[in-house]
């Protein structure tokens, strides 16, 4: 059974800790801050007050037996880098580390971090795209120029079927699912009639999505 | 032409500022910290050192003419709430506010914030799901029990066509796109042969995705 450790119980680390625990995973939660550790005593399998830059502490905690450690220390870049370095030297198979900026990421890559994440930066991009395009409720990059977007159907599309609108032929986009009230219709049929309050999940090249959205939404 | 303002140039606010500017939007960047403001002088249309909790400053900055203001102040919950309140009282049409925790969100909703976002918390959930399921590279919630996931194809699926695998019939999931090297094949044909290094974009009910992933990945 896979074991995890989360070092740093801020908003990001704390959320990972909660979500892994909610999915039944065994999590060791570690932080310098006593209040934060107490908050996680009821959530994680184990919650310990410790300084992750102390190698002896990491060894004592049996961190060596853990399959995947997440380092979610924020402002203290030094502590984040030192912790990541020691974890790899202790032989931890996989570490995911939160990076503060590009310089931080470069160093983490050089010292062997398996995954480097930029939660605020990436959510900022996503929200920027949602903001630019009012009708786009969510936007996820598939590649540099393709995305998955959630679009409110609106009055132009309400009452029409997918084959009427022929979105794929006209815009090269694919409506892969429709969210209607609390349901999700995956791979809707061509005969599906769109309702004004529907949310369409659309995949396509960014410029095609943009064109689709300008004309039909 | 739509105008935006971003208050708070941390990792999240800074990223929104960059992304909006990159998309050609006019952005007013505001922060208390001189170094941060200087960093954004070359990025945003305007970058100003100011305390957003000072109503006179907000008025002077002409913030009243701005369509959408993003409040990305982090640790100082008081400043975030006060800023949001004043922006709504000044008649700003839409404000998006970053929340530190659920209590912060409750207050923001009561004072009229149009959108409240939890970037670290939501990315934490996403990454937790990626971690639990090694083969899932990315995971986005469509609803409580439906998701869009990116799955590495692997050797079990390599060399088979979509119709061979008949994923929809067996698992109720839909392969809506295939990422191959730098390309994205949207709505792949049933005759498409999967390559081992492909990344499949799959939509379906969570339990079906889970079953698909256990059997075929
Ligand atoms: N050496 C360390 N050992 C253990 N925990 C640490 C160490 N250094 C920092 N932390 C903890 O890491 C947590 C996250 O750090 P911090 O709050 O600086 O980052 P953040 O990026 O603002 O967090 P988030 O954005 O996830 O809320 C804090 O709770 C802090 O106590
Ligand atoms: N009253 C204020 N007026 C203008 N800027 C402010 C004010 N209060 C805080 N800020 C700025 O907001 C920015 C973000 O705040 P902070 O770093 O506390 O949040 P954070 O949540 O850790 O940020 P992020 O996670 O986005 O990196 C900082 O650059 C800070 O200078």
């Amino acid at each position: 059974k896979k074991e995890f450790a989360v070092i740093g119980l801020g908003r990001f680390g704390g959320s990972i800790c909660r979500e892994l625990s909610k999915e039944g995973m065994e999590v060791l939660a570690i932080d310098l801050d006593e209040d934060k550790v107490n908050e996680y005593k009821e959530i994680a399998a184990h919650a310990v007050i410790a300084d992750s830059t102390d190698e002896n502490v990491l060894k004592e905690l049996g961190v060596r037996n853990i399959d995947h450690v997440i380092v979610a220390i924020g402002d203290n870049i030094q502590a984040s880098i030192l912790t990541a370095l020691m974890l790899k030297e202790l032989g931890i198979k996989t570490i995911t580390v939160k990076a503060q900026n590009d310089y931080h990421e470069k160093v983490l890559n050089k010292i062997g971090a398996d995954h480097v994440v930029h939660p605020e930066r990436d959510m900022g991009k996503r929200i920027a795209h949602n903001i630019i395009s009012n009708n786009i409720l969510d936007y996820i990059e598939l590649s540099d120029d393709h995305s998955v977007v959630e679009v409110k159907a609106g009055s132009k599309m309400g009452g029409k079927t997918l084959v009427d609108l022929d979105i794929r032929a006209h815009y090269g986009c694919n409506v892969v699912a429709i969210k209607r009230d609390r349901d999700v219709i995956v791979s809707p049929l061509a005969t599906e009639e769109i309702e004004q309050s529907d949310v369409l999940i659309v995949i396509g090249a960014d410029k095609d999505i943009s064109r689709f959205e300008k004309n039909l939404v």
Side-chain angles (χ1 to χ4, degrees), chain A:
Chain A
K1 188 161 177 295
K2 253 186 153 186
E3 288 183 52
F4 299 91
V6 178
I7 298 173
L9 304 172
R11 293 156 297 192
F12 178 67
S15 170
I16 293 188
C17 196
R18 279 171 207 281
E19 203 68 12
L20 288 177
S21 302
K22 197 164 127 209
E23 295 289 325
M25 300 292 141
E26 179 154 337
V27 185
L28 165 62
I30 299 167
D31 200 295
L32 276 174
D33 186 312
E34 182 170 357
D35 293 332
K36 293 200 176 162
V37 172
N38 286 335
E39 192 187 336
Y40 285 86
K41 285 226 179 279
E42 297 305 303
I43 297 169
H46 315 280
V48 177
I49 302 167
D51 183 340
S52 62
T53 59
D54 183 337
E55 193 173 27
N56 291 325
V57 162
L58 289 182
K59 285 185 183 157
E60 249 173 75
L61 286 175
V63 133
R64 252 187 292 216
N65 303 323
I66 292 181
D67 304 288
H68 193 143
V69 180
I70 296 98
V71 182
I73 293 167
D75 297 332
N76 192 342
I77 293 182
Q78 292 279 64
S80 163
I81 290 170
L82 183 53
T83 300
L85 182 65
M86 294 201 302
L87 290 170
K88 290 314 280 181
E89 297 204 328
L90 282 174
I92 304 296
K93 182 160 179 292
T94 310
I95 68 169
T96 295
V97 190
K98 173 184 174 180
Q100 201 74 343
N101 54 44
D102 293 342
Y103 149 78
H104 188 182
E105 172 168 13
K106 284 202 174 84
V107 176
L108 290 172
N109 285 330
K110 293 229 181 278
I111 65 177
D114 304 279
H115 305 287
V116 175
V117 292
H118 296 261
E120 299 89 351
R121 184 195 71 180
D122 292 353
M123 280 296 267
K125 282 190 190 175
R126 205 163 137 188
I127 282 164
H129 284 269
N130 296 354
I131 285 174
I132 291 170
S133 184
N134 294 338
N135 298 302
I136 292 190
L137 297 173
D138 204 352
Y139 155 99
I140 296 121
E141 247 180 29
L142 284 185
S143 70
D144 279 346
D145 56 15
H146 277 77
S147 314
V148 182
V149 296
E150 286 192 3
V151 187
K152 283 188 243 163
S155 50
K156 273 192 194 170
M157 290 200 261
K160 302 206 168 69
T161 66
L162 283 177
V163 71
D164 291 337
L165 297 167
D166 217 358
I167 293 167
R168 199 183 303 188
H170 292 127
Y171 301 99
C173 299
N174 182 20
V175 179
V176 298
I178 298 174
K179 278 162 80 163
R180 180 170 297 155
D181 313 317
R182 318 241 72 201
D183 288 327
V184 180
I185 304 161
V186 184
S187 307
L189 299 172
T191 48
E192 185 71 46
E193 188 175 301
I194 308 244
E195 293 172 24
Q196 219 169 302
S197 59
D198 283 346
V199 172
L200 312 181
I201 315 292
V202 183
I203 290 192
D206 291 346
K207 52 178 177 52
D208 292 335
I209 288 176
S210 188
R211 213 161 39 85
F212 158 68
E213 209 231 331
K214 285 193 175 66
N215 292 324
L216 276 188
V217 186

